[in-house]
Amino acid sequence: MRKSTMNFSEVAREIARINSQRDQIVLDAFSTLECRHATLAQTLLDNVGNRQRAAYWMCTHQKAFEGRTAYEVLADGDEDQVWERIPGNPEGEPMNRLERSRMAY
């Protein structure tokens, strides 16, 4: 349990440490996505512009996913729902697998 007499310098250092750790976890998770769902990751990168934005999009709790993250949706086995919600993909127009494979090249 944390001592209740932490000063603000200690609080600031602890928050910075945790934020740095979180940033690394977010990027590591996106590396895993690139290995396991390369086309999905590349399409997301293409649509949002850079790796950091794509990585954070995957970790953001989203109304479209009923408050879950895209990773949670993938963990539930619903890759199509993630494809349907990728920024830049017209809402309600799921990309079929043939289109996805063409986009990888």
Side-chain angles (χ1 to χ4, degrees):
M1 186 165 158
R2 293 260 181 229
K3 58 184 176 181
S4 61
T5 58
M6 285 180 71
N7 66 41
F8 289 119
S9 293
E10 292 170 327
V11 170
R13 278 193 301 276
E14 185 70 2
I15 289 171
R17 184 188 67 77
I18 290 168
N19 282 334
S20 177
Q21 192 174 37
R22 181 182 190 278
D23 290 342
Q24 189 58 55
I25 291 167
V26 167
L27 293 174
D28 290 348
F30 196 77
S31 292
T32 299
L33 181 70
E34 289 174 312
C35 291
R36 295 187 180 183
H37 299 277
T39 305
L40 176 68
Q42 187 58 53
T43 301
L44 183 57
L45 276 170
D46 292 344
N47 288 0
V48 301
N50 67 55
R51 195 168 193 278
Q52 185 174 8
R53 287 182 66 191
Y56 276 92
W57 183 86
M58 288 294 298
C59 294
T60 302
H61 294 270
Q62 299 185 35
K63 186 177 180 180
F65 299 144
E66 299 173 347
R68 299 177 298 159
T69 68
Y71 287 121
E72 290 170 313
V73 173
L74 287 176
D76 289 344
D78 195 356
E79 182 180 345
D80 287 339
Q81 187 177 5
V82 176
W83 274 103
E84 291 170 7
R85 299 300 179 188
I86 289 178
N89 184 28
E91 190 171 338
E93 294 184 22
M95 300 170 73
N96 68 41
R97 295 193 187 279
L98 180 58
E99 288 175 26
R100 289 183 210 159
S101 63
R102 278 192 219 138
M103 292 181 76
Y105 301 104

